[in-house]
Amino acid sequence: MKHRIVVLGAGYAGAYAAGTLARRLSPADTEITVVNAEPDFVQRLRLHQLAAGQEIEAPKLVDVFAGTGIRLRLARVTAVDPERQVVAVVDADGGGELAYDTLLYALGSHVADHGVPGVAEHAFHVTSRPAALRLRERLDGLSRRGDGGSVLVVGDGLTGIETATEIAESRPGLSVALVARGELGASLSAGARSHLRQACDRLGITVLEHTSVEAVEATRVLCADGTPLASDATVWTAGFAVNPIAAAGGLEVTEDGRIVVDRTMRSLSHPNVYAVGDSAYAIGDNGRPLPMSCASAGYTGMQVTAAIVGRLTGRKISNTKLEYHGNHISLGRRDGILQMVDGEAQAKPKYVSGRKAARIKAGILKMSLWTTSHPTFGLPKRKRHLAAAQDGAAVKVAV
């Protein structure tokens, strides 16, 4: 019987890891299945652009995995049972269960409402393609009205900054405001913060600092001090949360639901389960948890494939560097900031801004899309056979 590897999620981390495993492991010994709810690869890093009205590529996953031997199951994951080693899914035919010998959990994250009333009912977000298209439709409607509709972006993290600047640049007829809990760009160096403020001024964005939102209504938000802020479209970008499926299944997770893993991305509670990307609580080389980001997805994806291949084939597991070098922030299509950080994750004084930063960010996004769309390119062609049983899993003997 072949060793069954099931990958949950085909985002940046999941798609890369699945393709790498398919290239490195012999199909005579292994069977790889990727489960994803959507038929397309979603460029999550560019969903704010999609919402603003731009077109972005969405490669079909059947094309991404063509020729790899990977089985694609278009379904929504509803439960994980690590004791029985099965995953429950729902699809167009009703769904069922998938059994696995090795599970790679890469379901990513979604918008976090932090319990604020009205967010789910009235706010928009950009953490999924359907959500971004829903916001885009709303913005189209406001633009057609021609009366200068108002857009309120709540959250001054990278997603909030990129969303506010993208909408302001793409739709100059709309009034855009950005709500920040503290100082805008507090994590940036002084020079980068200054550039960010100049960009907001240039784009006509109203910045409301030291402001907390306690409720979202259909046409306004209510601040902690009781101040109402009118809004024709409220975009919620105040953080991310992970799916509660891992916690419900009995895996060891953090308070926010991320799977606790060791240096090789292996679950501390269930050794035949691995986690990558936003779903994993992984400690970087600086001793700090890796942030939810595309960069972290790449590093954890490389580490997990090395670990799975190494353990299944009886070879030494190499350590991938788990580092975080900095933040790449788009400020529309012609401006940006590249802020490098030190080993303590603090902003360095030096930064890159303007068109150069925008071109670098565009290059990074293009490279990420190409790499994900060609998951086996450049990898070793030799496919490894499995070793004798590892950790109780029944696998074939190497030949």
Side-chain angles (χ1 to χ4, degrees):
M1 182 177 178
K2 293 183 179 181
H3 188 91
R4 298 160 299 182
I5 300 175
V6 174
V7 181
L8 305 182
Y12 291 106
Y16 169 82
T20 303
L21 292 172
R23 187 64 175 264
R24 299 297 303 277
L25 296 172
S26 171
D29 299 346
T30 55
E31 176 183 287
I32 301 174
T33 301
V34 173
V35 183
N36 200 66
E38 300 293 332
D40 307 321
F41 172 72
V42 177
Q43 293 193 73
R44 182 162 172 176
L45 293 177
R46 298 184 63 191
L47 287 180
H48 59 286
Q49 293 178 240
L50 181 66
Q54 301 163 33
E55 297 301 326
I56 64 174
E57 293 182 64
K60 297 292 183 183
L61 290 175
V62 291
D63 297 329
V64 170
F65 295 131
T68 65
I70 293 172
R71 299 181 179 186
L72 176 63
R73 179 75 178 270
L74 294 179
R76 180 172 57 88
V77 179
T78 59
V80 172
D81 188 339
E83 304 304 326
R84 295 174 52 227
Q85 295 187 195
V86 296
V87 176
V89 300
V90 174
D91 58 18
D93 298 322
E97 290 186 338
L98 287 174
Y100 66 83
D101 298 304
T102 295
L103 180 68
L104 177 51
Y105 193 105
L107 289 179
S109 62
H110 56 268
V111 67
D113 61 18
H114 300 297
V116 176
V119 172
E121 297 84 358
H122 304 298
F124 297 85
H125 64 90
V126 290
T127 63
S128 70
R129 185 175 176 86
L133 290 174
R134 176 172 166 264
L135 173 56
R136 177 175 178 161
E137 182 179 2
R138 177 60 173 164
L139 297 179
D140 286 343
L142 294 178
S143 296
R144 284 194 295 268
R145 278 181 9 189
D147 59 357
S150 60
V151 178
L152 189 66
V153 179
V154 181
D156 61 325
L158 304 190
T159 301
I161 292 171
E162 292 192 328
T163 301
T165 54
E166 202 73 52
I167 292 175
E169 181 180 87
S170 298
R171 299 175 182 267
L174 300 179
S175 174
V176 180
L178 177 61
V179 176
R181 286 182 62 89
E183 180 186 4
L184 178 65
S187 64
L188 302 175
S189 63
R193 283 199 303 274
S194 176
H195 184 85
L196 173 58
R197 289 182 179 279
Q198 292 172 16
C200 289
D201 290 342
R202 172 175 55 82
L203 293 169
I205 298 171
T206 300
V207 178
L208 304 172
E209 295 180 300
H210 307 290
T211 303
S212 297
V213 172
E214 290 203 342
V216 178
E217 299 179 354
T219 59
R220 67 177 187 172
V221 303
L222 298 179
C223 300
D225 62 0
T227 302
L229 300 174
S231 174
D232 293 311
T234 299
V235 188
W236 192 264
T237 66
F240 304 107
V242 298
N243 198 303
I245 288 175
L251 289 159
E252 182 178 344
V253 299
T254 58
E255 289 186 2
D256 63 2
R258 286 183 289 170
I259 298 173
V260 182
V261 297
D262 64 13
R263 182 58 175 74
T264 67
M265 303 303 119
R266 193 183 208 180
S267 165
L268 294 187
S269 61
H270 294 79
N272 61 343
V273 176
Y274 295 80
V276 290
D278 290 355
S279 301
Y281 181 78
I283 304 300
D285 293 341
N286 62 356
R288 299 173 181 271
L290 290 176
M292 294 183 180
S293 68
C294 180
S296 297
Y299 292 134
T300 57
M302 288 187 283
Q303 181 61 78
V304 80
T305 53
I308 293 175
V309 171
R311 288 196 174 101
L312 293 183
T313 62
R315 289 172 169 80
K316 181 179 179 180
I317 299 173
S318 60
N319 278 349
T320 299
K321 288 184 178 181
L322 300 179
E323 301 175 317
Y324 196 77
H325 297 287
N327 296 315
H328 307 132
I329 311 170
S330 296
L331 304 175
R333 294 298 85 215
R334 296 179 294 277
D335 194 2
I337 296 172
L338 301 186
Q339 176 67 72
M340 298 297 102
V341 300
D342 59 23
E344 298 300 315
Q346 299 299 309
K348 294 181 178 180
K350 189 175 182 180
Y351 67 97
V352 179
S353 63
R355 289 182 178 271
K356 181 178 181 180
R359 287 195 295 268
I360 294 174
K361 177 67 180 287
I364 292 172
L365 294 175
K366 185 176 182 179
M367 179 181 67
S368 297
L369 173 63
W370 196 93
T371 302
T372 307
S373 301
H374 301 78
T376 64
F377 181 82
L379 296 175
K381 294 183 178 180
R382 183 180 180 184
K383 294 180 181 293
R384 303 288 187 180
H385 287 278
L386 302 195
Q390 301 283 332
D391 299 307
V395 298
K396 292 195 171 192
V397 176
V399 295

